[in-house]
Amino acid sequence: MSAEGKAIRPAATGYIGQPVPRPNARRLLEGRGRYTDDMVLNRMLHVAFVRSPYAHARILAIDTEAARAVPGVAAVVTGRDIAEICQPWVGVLGHFPGLKSAPQYPLAVERSCWQGEPVVAIAAETRAIAEDACEKVLVEWEELPAVVDMQTALAPETPVIHEELGDNLAFGLELKAGSPEDAFAKTAVVVEETFSFGRHTGVTLEPRSLIADFEPGERRLTVHHATQTPYQMQDVYARHFGLDEEKVRVVAPDVGGSFGLKLHVYGEEMATCALSILLGRPVKFVADRLESFLTDIHARDHQVRARMAVSAEGEILAMDVEDVTGIGPYSVYPRTSAVEGNQAIRLMGGPYRMPNYHGVLKVVFQNKTPTCQYRAVGHPIACGVTEGLVDMAARRLNLDPLEIRRRNVVTAEMYPHTSPTGYFFERLSHEECIAKIEAMMNYSSLREEQARLREQGIYRGIGFATFIEITNPGPAFYGVGGARVSSQDGCVMKLEPSGRVRCSVSVTEQGQGTETVMAQIAATHLGVKLDSVTVLTGDTQATPYGGATWASRGAGIGGMTVLRAAQALRGKLLELAGIILQRGPETLDLREGVIVEADTGMARMDLAELGRIAYFRPDTLPPDFHPDLTVARHYVPQGLPFAFTNGIQASHLELDPETGLVRLLDHWVVEDCGTILNPLLVDEQVRGGVVQGLGAALFEECLYNEAGQMINGSLADYLLPMASEMPDIHVDHVSTPTQFTPLGAKGVGEAGTAGAAAAVMNAVNDALAPFQVSLAQMPFTPERILRALGKIPSS
Amino acid sequence: MDPTFPITLTVNGTEMVREVPVRQTLADFLRQTLGLTATHVGCEHGVCGACTVRIDGRIARACLTFAIQCDGAAIETLEGMAESGKIADLQQAFHRRNALQCGFCTSGMLVTAAQLLEENPRPSREEIREIISGNYCRCTGYHAIVDAVEETAEARAKSEPEGAR
Ligand code: FES
Ligand code: FES
């Protein structure tokens, strides 16, 4: 078949920027997704866990005899049994000096340190049998005093959770820039508040799941795993079980949401692999929802005492913050639980010109579920504190909240700019974003309406949050600290004999549209039609090694590997075509999958013909010419430790002072992620992120009693945002491409979550302004609002 | 081992007889016994809606229903609805509008939305939000789902001549 005869013009930007729907979503819409729990392997066993009923307790004895006798049970193992084949881990990083944690085992060995910590694992023919057998395990406990309140975790009378560590301080940090003392001493206005950010959790709709399948003959371990980071898990499994790295294969099938939750090392996952290794049979673990609440990482749980110095003209002069955050009994492996606090105190005041800063961070241990990185790590804390104080200052100075932001943001002529905490901004677009949101939401008429309604006893509030977001992290994030977490990524691109293209890439898909965006980039830079590219992700055996997907790095970093591979393959294909057509490759071009004459666009041959000759008739090519029809390229993020994005959000809501209920009316976002690769996907990333932030602002909180027991660990008790409570979310963009990559794309996964809660907080306080009260403790539940209003007694 | 009982039921139009353990839920029966894995399990306590199916024409939680309760019932799952072609327009609207990300909520969401559109062919955005409130989605923020359902309703209304209903 030949394509000779027609002329094809070069494409301007190809598929970049097109709102392409996701081809892989079709399968999911037919109910043909393949999630981990949908898979069944021969002789597969199911695991269930006996868990600690106490927040802190010593294990005196474990009697597993009755459990072993249950028909259908294949194995009952304790912490000691598994410790024999699995190295313990310690969640520390070299670039967090002083960060400490204790060795952690898949199952608790001597003590349990949080309610829900796994203690005994049982593998059986069905999950029901395994659960029945769990009931028959007798554990003799000695309950120990639990450290529950993070504010007293460091007090001398509080017991130390890990004696060998000396105290309950996991990590401490102090930052100082300029002379904040002077600024506070001399300034006109100081605003001050203590902000609380409730402990919440990720709640992926698909719970954590895996099937470990060990083949004893060659000591090969295959793990089908709902994970964001297959390579990191390959490394962890190989090192901790003493297996050869290349014999460990981690495959992520369809993953039902991740949000940062599915990249940590969990005891249950390690125990499941251990059971498979011990038994030589596949073993499946799927967390049930109650287990998820007790053992998925939690997040946030910060209390921040903060003040801001502001001049009479509304100029932000300094901030002084002290952030105390409770992370549970261990720093989570391998990324550690110090990262959220570290980012929180470094991101404070980030959008503004503020010259002076003092920040103190105390990361403390407590006997609750471990916390770790979840979507927008640290950002909502920094954004909530900064934006809350900015609004307080505006109110004090009688300035409009948009106006005070306009006066303080880093302006166009100041870039490149370095923040007082050392963050480097290539070029952000705060002014443009403010202007855009003001028009988009019709700000002035909204204010008029608000004033009118107030006279009728209707209390509406408008709140803003300016934010910055860390994306495209490089090796500075984990690698320099000694964690084997890759910051580079890779792509293998191959011409199929049919002329179609297969692209295997190390970034992964959990529904954000990674595969679609990679196909858009491949098709554009190779010069083929979008539907002739198929992208493969999520299998350590079939894709190059890489960091995969976290911290909004998939599109920006993964995209660059694909771009580099596409350009390389294109060169190879043109070289081959030049030999076949007996002309210089520089006179040829590849457009829409057809080799054309570069100057006229005249079609000469399509890729199917090229593939046919190269693969099946290489005898017609010159001697010693070996066409390379598969290329591999990697990409290391260059120039900056991370690429910052920015934006602004606004919330419009109505607050009922009689019931304390808040109704969200509208939400607006203007954000700048640089080059927009696919606007359809970008907007939905923003919306999804916003709703997770709205959940934090109004509903979500892991509640504990004094004994360290979580008291709302079910979906009926832990409130998630539902459709009827959520507003329409209006999204628009400013686009400032990064100059550090030809793609120009930055990340967008966390922008929504970074600022949404702060915008709601400011809107709630705007609605409450006529009552002279304000709130700074998230979530803003009806009860807290009524207490603030004095309608019910304060606790 | 659990005692089992025989049940006779229709699943996606096919009549069948199966032995089911007494404590097996309909969700597990569909997923594990029949291999119909479109029905997802997100909470097993009736809140998230991922397991939504139709039992005798009404949407129901497959995680709160025991398989033995379905003796004599007609069950419809997303697989059956999708294969019948009757929600093809709704599926396409979800696709065009990117009203799904991870897809874990999507089966339940489609089953619920299909029922809504049968009962209320021109729902307002608020009505759509109200009905799908029994189906949690952690990825999309719901806006796109509301758009897709609204779009389908509008398209159906246009294609049906006035007064045909
Ligand atoms: S699994 Fe049935 S409602 Fe959640
Ligand atoms: S698309 Fe992931 S839960 Fe709805």
Side-chain angles (χ1 to χ4, degrees):
Chain A
M1 189 189 93
S2 158
E4 267 174 80
K6 63 181 174 145
I8 303 173
R9 274 199 296 272
T13 53
Y15 297 98
I16 307 289
Q18 300 294 315
V20 180
R22 293 157 47 213
N24 59 358
R26 285 227 172 78
R27 201 163 44 77
L28 307 177
L29 284 160
E30 302 284 332
R32 291 174 183 270
R34 193 171 160 82
Y35 303 89
T36 303
D37 193 28
D38 299 342
M39 268 181 266
V40 177
L41 302 184
N42 285 335
R43 301 187 72 225
M44 187 172 82
L45 298 164
H46 300 258
V47 61
F49 294 91
V50 177
R51 298 178 178 284
S52 170
Y54 300 110
H56 195 191
R58 195 178 308 286
I59 301 167
L60 299 177
I62 303 178
D63 179 354
T64 58
E65 214 181 298
R68 283 174 209 279
V70 173
V73 167
V76 180
V77 292
T78 63
R80 280 190 206 289
D81 300 331
I82 290 188
E84 284 176 25
I85 63 160
C86 180
Q87 291 293 320
W89 55 90
V90 184
V92 294
L93 283 170
H95 61 317
F96 285 84
L99 170 60
K100 60 196 186 203
S101 188
Q104 205 182 341
Y105 294 84
L107 305 175
V109 174
E110 282 170 5
R111 277 183 311 147
S112 76
C113 289
W114 81 91
Q115 175 219 3
E117 185 174 0
V119 179
V120 175
I122 299 185
E125 274 163 31
T126 67
R127 167 84 184 208
I129 294 172
E131 286 181 18
D132 287 348
C134 284
E135 308 258 297
K136 300 218 173 342
V137 172
L138 296 174
V139 184
E140 205 181 312
W141 296 99
E142 177 196 337
E143 198 177 351
L144 300 169
V147 180
V148 179
D149 181 1
M150 63 187 182
Q151 288 299 348
T152 56
L154 299 178
E157 62 277 12
T158 302
V160 173
I161 295 177
H162 305 290
E163 264 167 40
E164 68 278 20
L165 299 182
D167 57 27
N168 289 327
L169 183 69
F171 181 64
L173 183 64
E174 183 165 5
L175 299 175
K176 199 172 152 188
S179 33
E181 311 83 358
D182 283 3
F184 278 99
K186 290 187 196 135
T187 192
V189 176
V190 174
V191 287
E192 201 165 347
E193 182 60 280
T194 299
F195 297 88
S196 296
F197 300 84
R199 176 181 262 263
H200 53 94
T201 182
V203 198
T204 55
L205 208 56
E206 177 205 35
R208 281 164 34 223
S209 333
L210 79 161
I211 303 170
D213 185 9
F214 184 69
E215 192 286 302
E218 290 183 80
R219 293 186 62 74
R220 283 182 185 277
L221 177 68
T222 303
V223 186
H224 305 272
H225 193 172
T227 178
Q228 293 167 247
T229 51
Y231 316 94
Q232 175 200 300
M233 294 315 300
Q234 176 193 15
D235 168 73
V236 167
Y237 294 144
R239 280 189 296 114
H240 289 269
F241 291 110
L243 301 170
D244 296 333
E245 188 169 29
E246 77 286 2
K247 290 184 188 159
V248 176
R249 176 186 185 189
V250 178
V251 195
D254 288 324
V255 177
S258 51
F259 321 125
L261 189 153
K262 292 178 181 168
L263 50 66
H264 307 293
V265 171
Y266 293 94
E268 290 86 353
E269 276 79 333
M270 298 300 275
T272 302
C273 291
L275 279 165
S276 181
I277 292 169
L278 289 170
L279 298 168
R281 290 174 68 173
V283 182
K284 180 190 269 189
F285 170 64
V286 178
D288 70 27
R289 188 53 62 188
L290 306 180
E291 294 180 293
S292 302
F293 274 110
L294 291 175
T295 62
D296 287 359
I297 53 106
H298 291 180
R300 320 302 184 223
D301 208 5
H302 290 245
Q303 275 174 20
V304 187
R305 286 196 306 136
R307 49 189 197 132
M308 181 181 270
V310 185
S311 76
E313 292 71 44
E315 192 188 346
I316 302 170
L317 301 172
M319 276 177 80
D320 178 17
V321 305
E322 189 193 63
D323 179 8
V324 179
T325 176
I327 57 163
Y330 297 99
S331 167
V332 174
Y333 186 66
R335 295 175 184 237
T336 87
S337 305
V339 173
E340 170 145 297
N342 181 59
Q343 283 189 187
I345 68 159
R346 288 179 194 274
L347 286 163
M348 296 276 177
Y352 302 114
R353 290 194 297 267
M354 174 181 82
N356 306 296
Y357 178 68
H358 180 229
V360 172
L361 171 68
K362 288 179 186 158
V363 178
V364 303
F365 292 119
Q366 47 178 186
N367 293 112
K368 292 182 181 175
T369 299
T371 73
C372 204
Q373 281 73 295
Y374 159 63
R375 197 173 199 171
V377 185
H379 292 67
I381 315 302
C383 185
V385 169
T386 307
E387 297 301 295
L389 291 173
V390 166
D391 263 31
M392 289 172 73
R395 216 167 290 133
R396 186 81 72 79
L397 293 165
N398 219 353
L399 275 174
D400 181 88
L402 260 193
E403 180 54 28
I404 191 169
R405 288 176 171 80
R406 209 177 276 124
R407 286 186 195 179
N408 282 287
V409 290
V410 179
T411 50
E413 73 286 357
M414 294 171 70
Y415 293 103
H417 179 77
T418 305
S419 82
T421 59
Y423 281 147
F424 179 83
F425 307 129
E426 178 190 3
R427 168 71 166 92
L428 302 179
S429 56
H430 293 300
E431 298 155 286
E432 295 93 321
C433 288
I434 291 175
K436 205 161 208 176
I437 207 165
E438 184 172 18
M440 185 181 174
M441 65 193 284
N442 227 333
Y443 183 49
S444 54
S445 57
L446 218 54
R447 281 284 181 213
E448 283 160 25
E449 180 193 61
Q450 178 188 33
R452 216 173 36 245
L453 290 172
R454 242 174 225 184
E455 283 163 20
Q456 303 166 22
I458 294 172
Y459 295 91
R460 291 199 169 170
I462 302 166
F464 293 97
T466 305
F467 65 89
I468 55 174
E469 183 201 346
I470 295 175
T471 77
N472 293 1
F477 233 65
Y478 294 112
V480 299
R484 296 173 70 85
V485 173
S486 177
S487 58
Q488 66 79 52
D489 278 275
C491 172
V492 169
M493 203 175 285
K494 162 181 161 197
L495 181 76
E496 300 284 355
S498 62
R500 297 182 56 84
V501 176
R502 170 175 281 274
C503 168
S504 315
V505 62
S506 60
V507 287
T508 54
E509 169 91 273
Q510 299 87 35
Q512 58 281 74
T514 307
E515 293 180 2
T516 307
V517 170
M518 296 306 125
Q520 286 176 263
I521 295 169
T524 302
H525 288 273
L526 196 54
V528 300
K529 293 201 172 136
L530 182 61
D531 62 10
S532 66
V533 180
T534 297
V535 178
L536 174 82
T537 62
D539 182 346
T540 58
Q541 193 163 292
T543 58
Y545 199 91
T549 300
W550 45 274
S552 298
R553 67 190 297 287
I557 299 176
M560 277 304 300
T561 72
V562 173
L563 181 146
R564 294 193 72 228
Q567 288 176 340
L569 183 59
R570 176 192 175 85
K572 299 287 185 194
L573 298 179
L574 292 176
E575 181 192 0
L576 171 62
I579 284 174
I580 295 171
L581 297 169
Q582 299 187 340
R583 30 189 313 163
E586 69 289 348
T587 69
L588 296 170
D589 198 4
L590 179 53
R591 296 177 193 162
E592 299 178 26
V594 179
I595 303 288
V596 301
E597 292 170 9
D599 48 356
T600 62
M602 201 54 68
R604 294 300 304 270
M605 70 193 303
D606 60 21
L607 289 184
E609 178 62 5
L610 199 74
R612 185 189 68 82
I613 295 171
Y615 286 114
F616 308 122
R617 294 303 309 275
D619 57 307
T620 63
L621 299 174
D624 240 358
F625 177 68
H626 310 277
D628 291 319
L629 301 168
T630 302
V631 303
R633 286 294 182 276
H634 288 252
Y635 180 74
V636 179
Q638 296 295 308
L640 296 173
F642 3 85
F644 273 94
T645 71
N646 69 285
I648 183 165
Q649 302 195 21
S651 166
H652 184 212
L653 53 78
E654 189 169 307
L655 185 150
D656 183 341
E658 297 309 313
T659 62
L661 283 168
V662 170
R663 190 157 65 90
L664 300 170
L665 301 171
D666 269 304
H667 198 95
W668 296 268
V669 182
V670 177
E671 74 79 58
D672 184 347
C673 60
T675 303
I676 296 172
L677 300 172
N678 183 329
L680 181 67
L681 305 183
V682 162
D683 285 3
E684 294 316 315
Q685 274 301 298
V686 172
R687 291 197 173 97
V690 163
V691 166
Q692 291 189 5
L694 298 178
L698 294 177
F699 310 112
E700 295 183 41
E701 187 168 23
C702 300
L703 298 169
Y704 280 82
N705 68 13
E706 323 73 62
Q709 301 275 329
M710 185 172 173
I711 56 174
N712 64 339
S714 83
L715 262 194
D717 299 306
Y718 180 97
L719 304 180
L720 281 193
M722 298 192 297
S724 57
E725 299 158 332
M726 289 298 108
D728 278 348
I729 298 161
H730 316 281
V731 183
D732 206 345
H733 305 275
V734 170
S735 177
T736 313
T738 171
Q739 303 299 319
F740 284 90
T741 73
L743 206 53
K746 302 182 248 184
V748 70
E750 323 191 47
T753 312
V760 169
M761 175 177 69
N762 285 341
V764 164
N765 288 332
D766 186 41
L768 287 172
F771 303 96
Q772 318 287 332
V773 298
S774 71
L775 277 102
Q777 182 179 10
M778 292 187 197
F780 305 109
T781 59
E783 184 186 331
R784 285 180 185 147
I785 290 172
L786 291 177
R787 274 190 217 292
L789 286 166
K791 301 256 158 104
I792 53 176
S794 50
S795 53
Chain B
M1 289 284 149
D2 289 345
T4 60
F5 280 91
I7 57 170
T8 305
L9 76 173
T10 306
V11 178
N12 295 330
T14 305
E15 204 185 29
M16 55 183 73
V17 182
R18 290 287 187 281
E19 283 284 326
V20 297
V22 282
R23 63 174 169 175
Q24 187 175 44
T25 64
L26 175 61
D28 286 351
F29 172 72
L30 292 169
R31 293 177 50 79
Q32 293 165 12
T33 309
L34 302 185
L36 292 170
T37 53
T39 303
H40 295 149
V41 173
C43 70
E44 293 175 285
H45 49 259
V47 183
C48 75
C51 65
T52 306
V53 296
R54 284 195 193 199
I55 304 178
D56 294 329
R58 306 288 313 162
I59 53 171
R61 304 284 205 230
C63 74
L64 292 185
T65 310
F66 284 109
I68 49 167
Q69 289 175 280
C70 297
D71 191 22
I75 313 293
E76 227 182 335
T77 69
L78 180 69
E79 286 100 337
M81 295 170 72
E83 278 163 28
S84 75
K86 64 188 178 191
I87 58 162
D89 55 346
L90 184 64
Q91 293 168 298
Q92 278 155 17
F94 266 62
H95 187 241
R96 260 197 317 277
R97 189 57 196 80
N98 197 39
L100 70 159
Q101 289 183 28
C102 78
F104 204 77
C105 69
T106 308
S107 307
M109 207 55 98
L110 285 168
V111 173
T112 302
Q115 171 106 9
L116 161 71
L117 291 176
E118 270 174 33
E119 289 170 3
N120 178 1
R122 290 306 302 272
S124 66
R125 285 182 82 79
E126 288 65 40
E127 285 169 329
I128 297 169
R129 284 188 178 276
E130 201 52 52
I131 292 286
I132 63 168
S133 274
N135 292 74
Y136 284 3
C137 174
R138 194 56 161 163
C139 301
T140 65
Y142 302 110
H143 184 125
I145 296 173
V146 177
D147 285 352
V149 176
E150 193 180 32
E151 222 177 278
T152 308
E154 276 166 18
R156 284 188 189 177
K158 268 196 209 119
S159 70
E160 248 171 74
E162 206 63 39
R165 279 196 305 275

